[in-house]
Amino acid sequence: LKPRRHRSPVIVAEYLNGERFHQSFHNYSCDEVSGYFDLYRGYSGVVYSQQSKNSYSDHPSIQGYWNPTTHKDPEEAQLRYPVERGPLDQELTASEMVQQIFHSQQKAGGKLTEGEEERLEMKKQGEAS
């Protein structure tokens, strides 16, 4: 209870999670003040949001309400953005493939391996690798 001069009494309920609730008791009876003390004493301090929907259904969903994290990967909650991520199924372009072959040729002494020759021929003919 917070007594103040020339003002109505106010109770400030402060909880361990940091929430604070102020309740003015201007023209309240002793029973009403006692009821508010009991209410705030037994309250956890967690603010609950009302979950309601605008449509009516005879068979409501038993899976719960949708929220923005419903179908997300749990690891995304710990990411620091911006994240450098490319597409999951990215094919090499013909230029990148030729560059890889060129680099492997330099390492091997200028000759193509059998697998590289086949890949190059398939790419020339337009077949998928």
Side-chain angles (χ1 to χ4, degrees), residues 56-125:
Y56 172 77
S57 173
D58 288 331
H59 307 285
S61 171
I62 59 169
Q63 297 174 355
Y65 287 95
W66 178 90
N67 61 49
T69 59
T70 299
H71 299 293
K72 297 251 177 150
D73 186 13
E75 292 178 3
E76 288 185 12
Q78 299 173 355
L79 290 179
R80 300 267 184 221
Y81 290 98
V83 176
E84 300 280 337
R85 285 193 292 183
L88 298 176
D89 56 344
Q90 182 178 8
E91 288 187 22
L92 291 177
T93 63
S95 302
E96 292 171 339
M97 196 177 291
V98 169
Q99 287 175 351
Q100 283 183 352
I101 292 171
F102 176 74
H103 290 301
S104 66
Q105 273 183 341
Q106 284 182 335
K107 290 179 185 175
K111 297 178 183 175
L112 287 174
T113 63
E114 286 183 28
E116 289 172 345
E117 286 179 12
E118 290 174 14
R119 283 177 51 202
L120 189 56
E121 285 299 321
M122 288 173 58
K123 203 64 169 181
K124 283 181 188 176
Q125 295 172 4

Side-chain angles (χ1 to χ4, degrees), residues 16-59:
L16 293 175
N17 64 356
E19 289 291 330
R20 297 177 75 174
F21 295 99
H22 299 270
Q23 178 69 43
S24 174
F25 290 116
H26 181 68
N27 293 334
Y28 279 56
S29 69
C30 289
D31 292 335
E32 291 173 323
V33 172
S34 174
Y36 275 106
F37 268 105
D38 291 338
L39 173 79
Y40 286 129
R41 185 172 38 98
Y43 189 62
S44 68
V46 177
V47 179
Y48 295 103
S49 62
Q50 182 67 26
Q51 293 188 346
S52 61
K53 53 185 179 179
N54 297 331
S55 61
Y56 172 77
S57 173
D58 288 331
H59 307 285

